């Protein structure tokens, strides 16, 4: 190979090399630009996307403390407790729901009169028991009672019930006799 040929080869080779380098740089620049645009659209850093994200992970509820109303989205006036006139209704709502306790803890036996339990609403089954007096019935409801008919477990077998809850359930049960 002559020197002239060497030279030509070298020049061509360099040109191809230079072209490839430029080509690479151009491709890189284009890729970067496109990526920037699409990422900007989808990326969590745009205010729009931030808003959508916040909406998706928004908590279901918020604690709103009296005295710190500024932190609340809901004006406190809207959730203000009812006026004094409604206090009585409120107190009533706060009371234990005897029917609910009864349904949960007593109805399994007393509903149909299972295993010797006096059935709710059955005058005949209850009249003799009513003669014992309310206090005794309440005591037997709370502490349990072994009678001739069967075994009445303390608090209907639900030790988590408070005295008030058992009393409310008993009241409900006795009301059904009327
Ligand atoms: C596992 C069944 C069972 C459950 C649950 C149950 N009882 Fe009884 N209960 C009885 C039986 C049986 C008797 C009858 C016992 C007897 O006189 O021999 C009875 C009797 C009673 C009596 C009459 C006690 C007496 O001195 O004559 C009262 C009052 C009473 N239950 C209240 C309740 C209340 C209130 C609940 C719910 C909190 C409840 N019971 C849940 C079985 C049950």
């Amino acid at each position: 190979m002559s020197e002239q040929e060497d030279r030509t080869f070298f020049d061509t080779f360099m040109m191809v090399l230079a072209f490839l380098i430029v080509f690479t740089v151009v491709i890189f620049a284009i890729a970067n630009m496109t990526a920037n645009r699409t990422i900007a659209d989808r990326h969590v850093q745009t205010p729009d996307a931030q808003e959508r994200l916040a909406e998706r992970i928004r908590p279901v509820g918020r604690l709103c403390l009296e005295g710190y109303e500024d932190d609340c989205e809901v004006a406190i006036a809207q959730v203000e407790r009812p006026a004094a006139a409604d206090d009585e209704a409120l107190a009533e709502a706060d009371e234990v729901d005897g029917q609910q306790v009864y349904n949960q803890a007593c109805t399994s036996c007393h509903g149909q009169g299972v295993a010797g339990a006096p059935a709710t609403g059955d005058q005949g089954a209850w009249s003799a028991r009513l003669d014992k007096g309310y206090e005794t019935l309440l005591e037997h409801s709370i502490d349990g009672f072994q009678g001739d008919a069967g075994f009445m477990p303390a608090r209907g077998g639900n030790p988590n019930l408070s005295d008030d809850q058992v009393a409310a359930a008993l009241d409900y049960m006795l009301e059904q006799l009327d």
Side-chain angles (χ1 to χ4, degrees):
M1 223 183 264
S2 71
E3 200 148 306
Q4 181 57 42
E5 278 170 336
D6 271 359
R7 198 72 261 149
T8 324
F9 172 78
F10 186 75
D11 286 352
T12 322
F13 185 74
M14 273 318 193
M15 253 161 65
V16 169
L17 210 63
F19 171 76
L20 283 177
I21 289 172
V22 170
F23 187 69
T24 311
V25 171
V26 169
I27 293 265
F28 184 77
I30 290 176
N32 235 0
M33 262 160 50
T34 338
N36 268 347
R37 215 174 306 138
T38 39
I39 286 175
D41 272 357
R42 310 261 162 91
H43 207 256
V44 283
Q45 274 156 6
T46 66
D48 224 33
Q50 288 275 333
E51 217 168 273
R52 282 197 303 259
L53 180 69
E55 175 65 25
R56 253 178 286 143
I57 60 171
R58 186 167 50 87
V60 279
R62 291 194 53 181
L63 186 60
C64 216
L65 292 180
E66 254 182 90
Y68 294 87
E69 291 90 350
D70 289 351
D71 299 343
C72 300
E73 282 157 6
V74 187
I76 207 81
Q78 289 175 18
V79 289
E80 198 94 52
R81 267 184 260 125
D86 294 332
D87 272 1
E88 212 170 289
L90 262 183
E92 234 163 65
D94 270 357
E95 264 173 29
V96 191
D97 183 351
Q99 181 176 8
Q100 197 191 325
V101 180
Y102 168 83
N103 285 336
Q104 179 205 328
C106 319
T107 191
S108 52
C109 295
H110 288 276
Q112 303 294 323
V114 176
T120 307
D122 181 345
Q123 302 269 5
W126 279 98
S127 60
R129 299 180 190 274
L130 287 174
D131 290 343
K132 300 180 187 175
Y134 179 81
E135 287 307 316
T136 310
L137 293 185
L138 180 58
E139 199 184 301
H140 288 170
S141 301
I142 292 173
D143 297 335
F145 173 64
Q146 174 68 67
D148 299 334
F151 174 63
M152 158 72 207
R155 296 172 201 275
N158 192 339
N160 292 326
L161 292 178
S162 68
D163 288 2
D164 282 350
Q165 283 174 314
V166 175
L170 174 61
D171 293 349
Y172 173 79
M173 200 144 77
L174 298 181
E175 274 163 24
Q176 309 312 308
L177 290 170
D178 301 333

